[in-house]
Amino acid sequence: MRASDRAYATLRDDIIEWRLRPGTVLAEVEQSERLGISRTPLREALGRLTAEGLTTASGGRGVVVTDISLDDIDQLFELRETLEGRAAALAAERGDALTFQKLHHEFLQAPALIQADDPARHEYYDLVGRLDSAIDSAISNTYLAQAMRSLRVHLVRVRRLAADDAGRLTSAAAEHAAIAEAIAAGNPRLAEAATMLHLHRSLSHVKATHTPH
Amino acid sequence: MRASDRAYATLRDDIIEWRLRPGTVLAEVEQSERLGISRTPLREALGRLTAEGLTTASGGRGVVVTDISLDDIDQLFELRETLEGRAAALAAERGDALTFQKLHHEFLQAPALIQADDPARHEYYDLVGRLDSAIDSAISNTYLAQAMRSLRVHLVRVRRLAADDAGRLTSAAAEHAAIAEAIAAGNPRLAEAATMLHLHRSLSHVKATHTPH
DNA sequence: GCGCGCTCCTCTGTATACAGAAACTCTTCC
DNA sequence: GGAAGAGTTTCTGTATACAGAGGAGCGCGC
């Protein structure tokens, strides 16, 4: 793996997990020494982060970690509603029913995963990731899939702001199950509606439990 | 202006205007000598192009200019429909009526611009760009606006494939006028419908006059 | 004659050196 | 005491040198 890839992955995770707080200045020499690489690959990593919107080039003072305001979250979910609503509808039209039937059943059994004593809930979030991937490939549209992937980076960051307690995750699992079921049934409008419902509740939960940093 | 910015703008235009054909290998030393700059800023430019999807990193053989297939055009317009339909609806809800009334009147007089003896139709495309910008700022959603901007790069490239004759441009102007009118009237569903109609006709025209390169 | 393997060569990935620009600070003047 | 300006310092932007990896071409063997 290239040094610039490692630097990118490390910095991206540090930002997403809020180890690097918004407003932090990422000076090139400082970060290159911290990561044990030269300035050249680090610059490439910073460029990618800036293109994604996780950092912004702030004048001559290096790049700084961007903040996420409440207004940003609203905008993020507005775009998410647009993209994922359409994606769910397309998946219902074009997807493989069996794949989503299996995911549907997995989500029905998700409460067991949530009760497992893993504070990070790896297994559950892995299941959510598999549903996202299944939709991505079902829609057969690389541009739409790419747009959703670039959104998810920011959404993971927002998720860390909210207290994802077991109660909310159990409800979310039921909502995901409804989405998978509607796609498996080949019902575009129902899939879109189920997605809207899920996103509305997610946004409400985030805004309710949002802890200003 | 930075050398990397100039290199990016030059290469981007060369690709969009089809001066650099799909499949062309952009070797670093070759291009850096052609543009009269060093490899370092050129690498940054190539990185940005690859992030946008205009080029792809092809193994150890440098980056190559991506192709646009008929299937790509379908996918592109599918995403465009999703994003611009929603954007038009949001603009109708949140936009300033006077701004779009003015644009509406300008589009009604657009046939004169199209008849002007400018083969590139600068004035007309400038007007289209102003409508896009007006929608971008009216929606008050930087993430959605950003997604549409990244799409437009590819769409300009597609536009160059089609023969944009005066007849089609006159029809397109009328469709744009309808979009602006609906937004000015504050009617979200009508704005979305007018956008759908315009995109459907644009796609039909592109596919009808598409000349395989 | 065809296929496999080796060698050479070119290209990317990385490190470092240098120059220009921007910001901070200290001093001086009002 | 405050503000403006010059000096200094540190940063980014660019160029170049070096090393490793990958591919192409040629030769050898079957």
Side-chain angles (χ1 to χ4, degrees):
Chain A
M1 182 185 265
R2 297 183 301 179
S4 60
D5 290 337
R6 273 187 290 119
Y8 166 75
T10 303
L11 287 172
R12 180 171 151 278
D13 281 0
D14 282 346
I15 294 174
I16 286 177
E17 304 288 342
W18 297 88
R19 286 188 291 268
L20 285 172
R21 305 292 281 271
T24 306
V25 176
L26 301 179
E28 293 185 0
V29 285
E30 173 198 349
Q31 292 298 318
S32 63
E33 286 172 4
R34 182 171 81 94
L35 300 173
I37 58 173
S38 175
R39 277 183 57 210
T40 310
L42 181 85
R43 279 179 70 87
E44 188 186 319
L46 291 179
R48 272 200 266 176
L49 292 171
T50 302
E52 277 185 307
L54 291 177
T55 58
T56 49
S58 160
R61 207 56 179 169
V63 304
V64 297
V65 179
T66 54
D67 199 1
I68 292 189
S69 64
L70 263 177
D71 192 46
D72 280 315
I73 295 177
D74 280 327
Q75 294 182 19
L76 223 37
F77 269 77
E78 194 167 83
L79 177 55
R80 196 184 175 193
E81 209 180 275
T82 309
L83 293 177
E84 297 200 5
R86 182 65 182 271
L90 290 175
E93 290 176 9
R94 303 172 185 167
D96 170 52
L98 193 60
T99 305
F100 290 95
Q101 273 173 24
K102 285 181 184 167
L103 285 165
H104 174 219
H105 285 124
E106 283 195 78
F107 270 109
L108 289 181
Q109 291 154 11
L113 299 181
I114 295 165
Q115 297 304 331
D117 53 336
D118 171 18
R121 267 96 177 191
H122 270 120
E123 282 192 276
Y124 172 72
Y125 283 121
D126 182 68
L127 177 57
V128 175
R130 291 215 310 283
L131 176 61
D132 285 340
S133 297
I135 294 176
D136 278 7
S137 58
I139 58 180
S140 301
N141 187 322
T142 56
Y143 296 94
L144 177 53
Q146 179 60 34
M148 289 197 292
R149 261 193 298 275
S150 68
L151 248 192
R152 278 182 203 128
V153 178
H154 296 276
L155 290 170
V156 173
R157 211 176 159 208
V158 169
R159 183 201 291 163
R160 290 286 180 277
L161 279 179
D164 42 356
D165 54 293
R168 170 60 200 147
L169 289 187
T170 305
S171 305
E175 293 156 22
H176 278 126
I179 295 172
E181 188 181 15
I183 294 176
N187 189 332
R189 294 196 57 200
L190 185 60
E192 188 174 343
T195 302
M196 292 295 171
L197 187 63
H198 169 59
L199 293 180
H200 176 76
R201 293 201 178 146
S202 292
L203 178 56
S204 297
H205 180 255
V206 168
K207 289 171 94 165
T209 69
H210 174 268
T211 54
H213 35 283
Chain B
M1 181 183 269
R2 297 183 300 179
S4 61
D5 290 338
R6 274 186 290 119
Y8 167 75
T10 303
L11 287 172
R12 181 171 151 278
D13 281 0
D14 283 346
I15 294 174
I16 287 177
E17 304 288 342
W18 297 87
R19 287 188 290 268
L20 285 172
R21 305 293 281 271
T24 306
V25 177
L26 301 179
E28 294 184 0
V29 286
E30 173 197 350
Q31 293 299 316
S32 63
E33 286 173 3
R34 182 171 80 93
L35 300 173
I37 58 172
S38 174
R39 276 182 58 211
T40 309
L42 181 85
R43 280 179 69 87
E44 188 185 318
L46 291 179
R48 272 199 267 177
L49 292 171
T50 303
E52 276 184 308
L54 291 177
T55 58
T56 49
S58 162
R61 209 55 180 168
V63 305
V64 298
V65 179
T66 53
D67 198 2
I68 292 189
S69 64
L70 263 177
D71 192 46
D72 279 315
I73 295 177
D74 280 327
Q75 295 183 19
L76 224 37
F77 269 78
E78 194 167 85
L79 178 54
R80 197 184 175 191
E81 210 179 275
T82 309
L83 292 177
E84 297 199 6
R86 182 66 183 272
L90 289 175
E93 290 177 9
R94 303 172 185 167
D96 170 53
L98 193 60
T99 305
F100 290 95
Q101 272 173 24
K102 284 179 183 166
L103 284 165
H104 175 218
H105 285 125
E106 284 196 77
F107 270 109
L108 289 182
Q109 291 153 11
L113 298 180
I114 295 167
Q115 298 303 331
D117 53 338
D118 172 17
R121 267 99 177 189
H122 270 120
E123 281 192 277
Y124 172 72
Y125 283 121
D126 182 68
L127 176 57
V128 175
R130 291 216 311 283
L131 176 61
D132 285 339
S133 296
I135 293 178
D136 278 6
S137 58
I139 58 180
S140 302
N141 186 322
T142 56
Y143 296 94
L144 177 53
Q146 178 60 34
M148 289 196 292
R149 263 194 297 274
S150 67
L151 248 192
R152 279 183 203 129
V153 178
H154 296 276
L155 290 169
V156 173
R157 210 175 160 210
V158 169
R159 182 201 290 162
R160 290 285 179 277
L161 279 179
D164 44 356
D165 53 293
R168 170 58 199 148
L169 288 188
T170 306
S171 306
E175 293 157 23
H176 278 127
I179 294 173
E181 188 182 16
I183 294 176
N187 189 331
R189 294 196 57 201
L190 185 61
E192 187 173 344
T195 302
M196 293 293 172
L197 187 64
H198 169 59
L199 293 180
H200 176 77
R201 292 197 179 149
S202 292
L203 178 57
S204 297
H205 179 255
V206 168
K207 290 171 93 165
T209 69
H210 174 266
T211 54
H213 36 284

